[in-house]
């Protein structure tokens, strides 16, 4: 692969409504759009999914810009790659900074798939023509949750995830469960609990939840293994799994029965696929998580979720879940509870150039020498 230039665009867009968790609320989303163009003028796109502040992981938009500009893009300038996996392996010489790595690696996957005239899904071994769609409700009251869930069920979503914390759990979930007795519900705690809350967490077994996501500390694997032994509800790990090794340790220790795979969190598609393949082999179910992302990352998620091990509906929602207008065309939409996996080359969506332009607040261009 001969890269001619890489363009980074920082974009910003208000959410249609605030996204509440016990860690704070997201009102406006900043992100980095990464375009990698080769010497034939073919472009691949990726998205840096770090937030403006380090509330979910340690990365931010600014740390990602630094890593991309001063470390990762120079690595690509100095090392010829033949395949996206070469980029993933090259980036392993840099510690962590997974969202920065993933955004760039995924742009290279899109470019590689386009050059081979194959969909990204097919290139990585996807087997599904459509992926089951779930949606997240992140609000701070039961009445708002009930209204939103009602609407999302009307739009066809197959399962709903709600955000919980000790301030909003038992009676909140009881209210939801009594209104929707048959709904597939899961609860995401984003590390709101400690083992001192054991009785509280056990009480949530009352609600027949599909799973409880990341109840304990964001970097813990040991305490979750103690907790899982005490709960009937399966634990799903999100924040704690930032590499293949983490996934293996968590499975071996019995820290979870399910893993939420996000390419951004684990450093890209290569690492996400390794975790997927391992879980498929071990009979651990996985699903594709979301990052309140724009259409490019959404499109990558669709391709990832088309792999055979993604058996649980992911946080794969339509573009209109968060945005008035997305940066891709067509926008991602839900039909009968599923999102269609495109068969066009690469991520299979075009860039909405006007929307991208009007949301861009900063831009950097890197030109490769190709001597
Ligand atoms: O914990 O899964 C999470 C959003 C941003 C950061 C972390 C998480 C989330 C979500 C929403 O739960 C996922 C989505 O639909 O984009
Ligand atoms: Mg989560």
């Amino acid at each position: 692969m001969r890269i001619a230039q890489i363009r980074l665009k920082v974009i910003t867009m208000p959410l249609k409504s605030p996204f509440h968790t016990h860690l704070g609320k997201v009102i406006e989303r900043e992100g980095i759009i990464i375009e990698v163009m080769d010497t034939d003028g073919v472009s691949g796109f990726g998205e840096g999914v770090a937030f403006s502040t380090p509330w979910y992981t340690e990365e931010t938009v600014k740390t990602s810009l630094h890593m991309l500009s001063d470390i990762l893009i120079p690595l690509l300038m100095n090392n010829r790659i033949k395949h996206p996996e070469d980029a993933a392996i090259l980036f392993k010489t840099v510690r962590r900074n997974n969202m920065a790595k993933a955004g760039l690696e995924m742009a290279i996957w899109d470019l590689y798939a386009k050059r081979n005239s194959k969909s990204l899904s097919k290139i990585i071994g996807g087997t599904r023509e459509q992926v089951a769609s779930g949606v997240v409700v992140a609000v701070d009251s039961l009445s708002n949750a009930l209204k939103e869930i009602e609407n999302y069920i009307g739009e066809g979503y197959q399962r709903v995830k709600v955000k919980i914390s000790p301030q909003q759990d038992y009676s909140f979930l009881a209210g939801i469960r009594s209104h929707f007795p048959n709904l597939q519900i899961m609860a995401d705690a984003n590390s709101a609990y400690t083992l001192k809350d054991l009785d509280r967490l056990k009480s949530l077994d009352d609600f027949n939840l599909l799973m409880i996501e990341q109840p304990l500390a964001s970097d813990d694997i040991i305490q979750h293994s103690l907790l899982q032994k005490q709960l009937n509800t399966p634990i799903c790990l999100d924040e704690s799994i930032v590499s293949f090794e983490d996934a293996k340790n968590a499975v071996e220790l019995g820290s979870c029965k399910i893993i939420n795979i996000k390419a951004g969190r684990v450093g890209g598609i290569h690492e996400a696929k390794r975790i997927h393949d391992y879980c498929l082999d071990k009979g651990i179910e996985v699903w594709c998580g979301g990052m309140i992302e724009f259409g490019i990352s959404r499109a990558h998620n669709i391709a990832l979720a088309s792999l055979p091990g993604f058996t649980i509906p992911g946080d794969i929602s339509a573009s209109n879940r968060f945005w008035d207008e997305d940066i891709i065309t067509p926008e991602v939409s839900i039909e009968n509870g599923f999102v269609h996996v495109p068969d066009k080359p690469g991520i299979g969506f075009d860039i909405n150039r006007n929307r991208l332009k009007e949301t861009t607040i900063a831009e950097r261009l890197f030109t490769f020498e190709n001597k």
Side-chain angles (χ1 to χ4, degrees):
M1 303 175 83
R2 283 178 157 270
I3 298 172
Q5 61 173 55
I6 296 181
R7 195 179 290 274
L8 307 179
K9 289 187 177 186
V10 181
I11 68 170
T12 189
M13 219 187 273
L15 274 66
K16 280 162 77 176
S17 59
F19 187 91
H20 292 266
T21 73
H22 76 103
L23 298 168
K25 61 180 172 182
V26 181
I27 298 169
E28 177 102 17
R29 178 69 159 118
E30 275 186 310
I32 305 170
I33 304 307
I34 302 165
E35 177 178 4
V36 178
M37 189 189 283
D38 73 7
T39 49
D40 295 322
V42 181
S43 282
F45 291 88
E47 206 177 291
V49 295
F51 290 92
S52 311
T53 62
W55 67 272
Y56 169 72
T57 64
E58 68 280 11
E59 292 180 85
T60 68
V61 171
K62 282 194 179 143
T63 70
S64 293
L65 274 178
H66 160 55
M67 289 308 301
L68 286 162
S69 306
D70 302 328
I71 309 286
L72 300 172
I73 293 173
L75 266 180
L76 283 179
M77 288 177 165
N78 295 324
N79 295 273
R80 180 70 55 79
I81 57 163
K82 293 203 178 101
H83 189 276
E85 288 180 354
D86 299 341
I89 290 161
L90 188 59
F91 294 166
K92 280 190 191 282
T93 59
V94 175
R95 302 267 188 247
R96 306 286 286 237
N97 292 284
N98 286 346
M99 293 177 177
K101 291 175 182 171
L104 186 51
E105 190 238 35
M106 291 160 84
I108 295 170
W109 275 105
D110 180 33
L111 172 58
Y112 180 79
K114 283 173 175 153
R115 287 222 56 120
N116 286 277
S117 305
K118 288 203 172 112
S119 70
L120 179 60
S121 163
K122 282 278 151 14
I123 281 275
I124 64 174
T127 53
R128 297 171 202 279
E129 285 173 10
Q130 53 178 19
V131 299
S133 184
V135 67
V136 180
V137 168
V139 292
D140 55 0
S141 76
L142 175 61
S143 59
N144 286 339
L146 295 176
K147 268 183 253 161
E148 282 205 10
I149 293 171
E150 190 77 56
N151 288 338
Y152 290 139
I153 292 174
E155 290 173 34
Y157 287 102
Q158 298 195 25
R159 66 101 178 116
V160 170
K161 171 167 124 179
V162 294
K163 295 289 192 180
I164 59 162
S165 68
Q167 289 71 46
Q168 176 174 285
D169 53 13
Y170 194 90
S171 59
F172 180 72
L173 289 168
I176 295 171
R177 181 47 89 207
S178 74
H179 273 78
F180 305 101
N182 301 317
L183 180 64
Q184 295 201 63
I185 303 171
M186 50 207 256
D188 186 358
N190 291 108
S191 304
Y193 299 88
T194 70
L195 278 180
K196 289 198 182 113
D197 301 306
L198 180 61
D199 291 337
R200 225 191 157 89
L201 289 165
K202 272 187 180 173
S203 73
L204 307 183
D205 280 344
D206 290 355
F207 304 119
N208 189 27
L209 299 173
L210 279 180
M211 69 196 77
I212 177 166
E213 185 179 340
Q214 197 70 36
L216 307 179
S218 62
D219 57 357
D220 169 75
I221 288 179
I222 305 284
Q223 298 195 358
H224 280 100
S225 80
L226 303 175
L227 178 62
Q228 182 65 89
K229 292 182 181 63
Q230 306 281 326
L231 298 184
N232 293 330
T233 306
I235 292 177
C236 167
L237 289 178
D238 174 358
E239 285 89 329
S240 294
I241 308 298
V242 300
S243 67
F244 169 80
E245 287 73 20
D246 288 340
K248 193 162 173 286
N249 286 336
V251 169
E252 283 179 4
L253 280 175
S255 310
C256 62
K257 294 183 177 158
I258 300 168
I259 293 179
N260 164 343
I261 300 183
K262 295 179 182 170
R265 200 192 61 229
V266 303
I269 287 180
H270 173 69
E271 195 76 356
K273 234 181 93 59
R274 288 179 74 205
I275 296 173
H276 161 273
D277 295 352
Y278 172 78
C279 289
L280 189 60
D281 182 51
K282 296 286 172 203
I284 300 292
E285 290 196 277
V286 305
W287 55 278
C288 182
M291 284 292 292
I292 318 182
E293 54 248 299
F294 303 109
I296 292 168
S297 183
R298 214 163 272 281
H300 280 278
N301 287 348
I302 295 166
L304 187 62
S306 74
L307 294 175
F310 286 82
T311 49
I312 300 172
D315 285 343
I316 297 194
S317 50
S319 293
N320 73 6
R321 159 69 182 84
F322 292 114
W323 316 120
D324 286 321
E325 187 184 356
D326 204 343
I327 56 167
I328 53 164
T329 174
E331 296 201 341
V332 175
S333 60
I334 309 293
E335 259 171 70
N336 301 318
F338 290 90
V339 172
H340 169 72
V341 180
D343 41 30
K344 293 204 304 178
I347 58 174
F349 292 84
D350 292 327
I351 303 303
N352 178 342
R353 291 278 171 190
N354 282 339
R355 184 60 170 159
L356 185 59
K357 196 167 170 199
E358 82 189 6
T359 53
T360 297
I361 55 173
E363 206 170 322
R364 291 183 188 175
L365 179 66
F366 300 83
T367 308
F368 284 51
E369 279 193 18
N370 284 304
K371 279 183 288 221

